[in-house]
Amino acid sequence: MTTDPQRFEILLVPEHVKDRTGAPGPDRPLRSAVVEATGETGVSGYPRYVGQGMEADIDPATRTVEKLLVDGSELDPGLTALVAPQSPA
């Protein structure tokens, strides 16, 4: 049994959107998707998550998106992906 989160919400925000700490903030997402673990490991070596047009390799310990495809294409320059764990459905 894995202790890794089985679901994440990915928020795509403009890179220039910042919160008070200077980090990108999720207050103005351009798109979001809930992705679920596939049980596979992606090319980055991290678990693969898919859903709602997004396919991501996410480091569950740091919540870092290591690889992301949106509708089959790489993330556009100027966008940042943020992740948050989701409760089981």
Side-chain angles (χ1 to χ4, degrees):
M1 183 170 170
T2 180
T3 59
D4 293 340
Q6 296 301 296
R7 295 166 55 118
F8 283 104
E9 182 177 22
I10 299 176
L11 303 171
L12 300 182
V13 298
E15 196 170 279
H16 68 273
V17 174
K18 305 286 183 181
D19 66 13
R20 286 181 240 153
T21 65
D27 55 350
R28 292 190 174 96
L30 300 173
R31 182 169 172 179
S32 67
V34 174
V35 294
E36 296 189 22
T38 64
E40 299 175 356
T41 301
V43 294
S44 67
Y46 291 100
R48 167 80 37 97
Y49 294 81
V50 298
Q52 298 178 317
M54 293 191 198
E55 188 172 328
D57 295 357
I58 300 174
D59 178 348
T62 64
R63 298 182 185 161
T64 301
V65 176
E66 299 294 338
K67 177 135 180 84
L68 177 64
L69 295 176
V70 178
D71 298 330
S73 300
E74 291 187 11
L75 190 62
D76 290 336
L79 293 178
T80 298
L82 305 174
V83 295
Q86 293 290 295
S87 301

